[in-house]
Amino acid sequence: MAWLWLAGVVAFSGDALAHPLVAVVLLVLVFIGCTLTTLALRHRPELLIAAPYVIFDLTLAVALYTGDGFVYEPGHVFATSQNLAGQWPLIAVLHAAVALGPWAVAAGAAVGASRYVGAIGNRFEAYSAKHHVSVASSVVFLAVAGGVGASLVRVLRRVETEVLARRARDDVARTLHDTVLQTLAVVEQRTATRDPELAAIARRSDRELRAYLFGAAAQPSQDTLEAGLRAAVERVQGVYDIPVVVNVIDEGGPTDSRRVHALAGAVGEAVANAAQHAQATRIVVFAETDDAGDVFATVNDDGVGFDVEAALATATHRGLIGSIVGRMVDADGRAEVVSVQGQGTEIRLWTR
């Protein structure tokens, strides 16, 4: 549609064209661009956001603005008549917004400023304030279009990611519902009288897994750092009978609830690992915040320890890598594991 508009502008320009052959050449280049875009969209859409094609599209927009001054008689560039570029510069800048993100702002400004080059080709020299304002309006409009386009693309991509994540969770939920949840129900039913403790663990695990899969995880008392850590430790102690000491020094800084939940989850997993694998007899959890809301926490145990490098290299400790290190990375924090065989383990956690 943009090309048809440009063709109409050229067809009805008549005697106003000083170089009609150049105008036709530009029309052919635009038509080639339209054809390549259509073919790529149908067969190889990934090419449309590759740097060479984006540069080609922006170069074509600059060529149209530049050619607008060259193909017409002098005095045309700031006249009220239709220009040769039409809406192609806007299309090119929006294309750049999809492919380049915020860099589309600079691309839009550069394309708009190319009107000055078109004025040189039109042999225009009698500049006044209104002419500079005219070019500036094009620069600002195209730069803003690039910025708004990039912002919308970022929002759409985030929404797409969230939709895909929701679908993936639904698929996992269906699978776990048909396997793990049913198994927990059977375990609870068959051990209700013979092993009440095991039945209680199965019932609690079933409830927590359902809350995670089918709704927001229940975290009624985890809004503060201390409450979150104690709740995480209590859940582990409900499964493993091991003493855990929790010490929290909270300076009252502005802690983020998402990071508090991530830290509590990582601490809970660290305590569970120590109770299950380390043969520990005592675990100490310590955490403190500063005025800025940064949090430092440690989980120490007196267990058998392990070879940290070997565990990370072989990825045998999934709880360590995924539930502790991975959880902290996702919350813009970090984790460090220090362990000596026979001398226990210390896990250090930082959030900001």
Side-chain angles (χ1 to χ4, degrees):
M1 292 179 65
W3 180 84
L4 288 174
W5 184 268
L6 300 186
V9 169
V10 172
F12 288 99
S13 292
D15 296 337
L17 290 174
H19 301 91
L21 182 59
V22 177
V24 172
V25 170
L26 289 173
L27 280 179
V28 171
L29 289 176
V30 175
F31 184 78
I32 292 174
C34 290
T35 303
L36 292 175
T37 300
T38 303
L39 292 174
L41 185 63
R42 289 176 179 271
H43 303 290
R44 295 190 62 187
E46 69 277 3
L47 293 178
L48 295 177
I49 57 174
Y53 192 84
V54 179
I55 293 173
F56 167 76
D57 213 2
L58 292 172
T59 302
L60 196 56
V62 171
L64 288 172
Y65 264 150
T66 303
D68 179 64
F70 181 76
V71 301
Y72 283 97
E73 295 290 346
H76 162 79
V77 287
F78 292 109
T80 56
S81 60
Q82 291 286 335
N83 64 59
L84 183 62
Q87 299 304 317
W88 197 270
L90 176 60
I91 295 173
V93 170
L94 293 178
H95 180 191
V98 176
L100 305 180
W103 286 102
V105 175
V111 171
S114 66
R115 285 189 60 194
Y116 275 123
V117 182
I120 295 174
N122 200 229
R123 297 185 293 280
F124 185 86
E125 297 179 354
Y127 284 100
S128 64
K130 66 179 182 180
H131 300 122
H132 293 295
V133 169
S134 177
V135 176
S137 68
S138 297
V139 172
V140 172
F141 171 72
L142 292 175
V144 170
V148 172
S151 178
L152 291 176
V153 168
R154 185 171 62 252
V155 171
L156 289 173
R157 284 175 175 157
R158 185 173 69 246
V159 171
E160 180 185 36
T161 301
E162 292 174 356
V163 170
L164 292 175
R166 179 69 258 181
R167 290 176 179 173
R169 174 173 287 190
D170 289 342
D171 291 340
V172 173
R174 284 191 292 267
T175 301
L176 293 181
H177 180 271
D178 295 338
T179 56
V180 177
L181 290 177
Q182 291 182 3
T183 302
L184 289 173
V186 172
V187 170
E188 180 186 357
Q189 182 180 10
R190 295 186 178 182
T191 60
T193 56
R194 298 197 308 270
D195 193 340
E197 184 179 354
L198 180 58
I201 294 173
R203 183 166 54 253
R204 182 168 52 253
S205 299
D206 179 279
R207 185 167 55 251
E208 292 182 356
L209 185 56
R210 287 181 184 276
Y212 173 75
L213 293 174
F214 306 116
Q219 296 170 332
S221 62
Q222 296 188 28
D223 292 332
T224 66
L225 175 63
E226 183 170 5
L229 294 181
R230 291 192 181 279
V233 170
E234 287 173 2
R235 283 198 299 270
V236 177
Q237 285 185 301
V239 179
Y240 305 99
D241 184 17
I242 185 172
V244 181
V245 178
V246 179
N247 295 314
V248 178
I249 302 176
D250 192 347
E251 297 293 340
T255 54
D256 180 270
S257 60
R258 180 176 69 92
R259 292 182 171 86
V260 168
H261 295 157
L263 183 67
V267 167
E269 181 65 26
V271 173
N273 283 347
Q276 184 177 4
H277 304 294
Q279 302 176 25
T281 61
R282 188 169 182 269
I283 302 173
V284 177
V285 176
F286 171 78
E288 65 175 339
T289 66
D290 58 19
D291 294 337
D294 296 346
V295 183
F296 169 68
T298 64
V299 178
N300 282 276
D301 68 68
D302 59 354
V304 297
F306 66 98
D307 188 335
V308 178
E309 293 185 2
L312 295 177
T314 58
T316 56
H317 287 62
R318 289 295 180 185
L320 172 64
I321 298 172
S323 295
I324 299 178
V325 178
R327 182 179 268 123
M328 297 306 299
V329 171
D330 291 342
D332 300 326
R334 62 190 178 93
E336 181 180 289
V337 182
V338 179
S339 183
V340 178
Q341 292 183 340
Q343 300 182 29
T345 300
E346 179 182 25
I347 295 180
R348 304 164 184 167
L349 309 170
W350 290 266
T351 69
R352 295 191 300 173

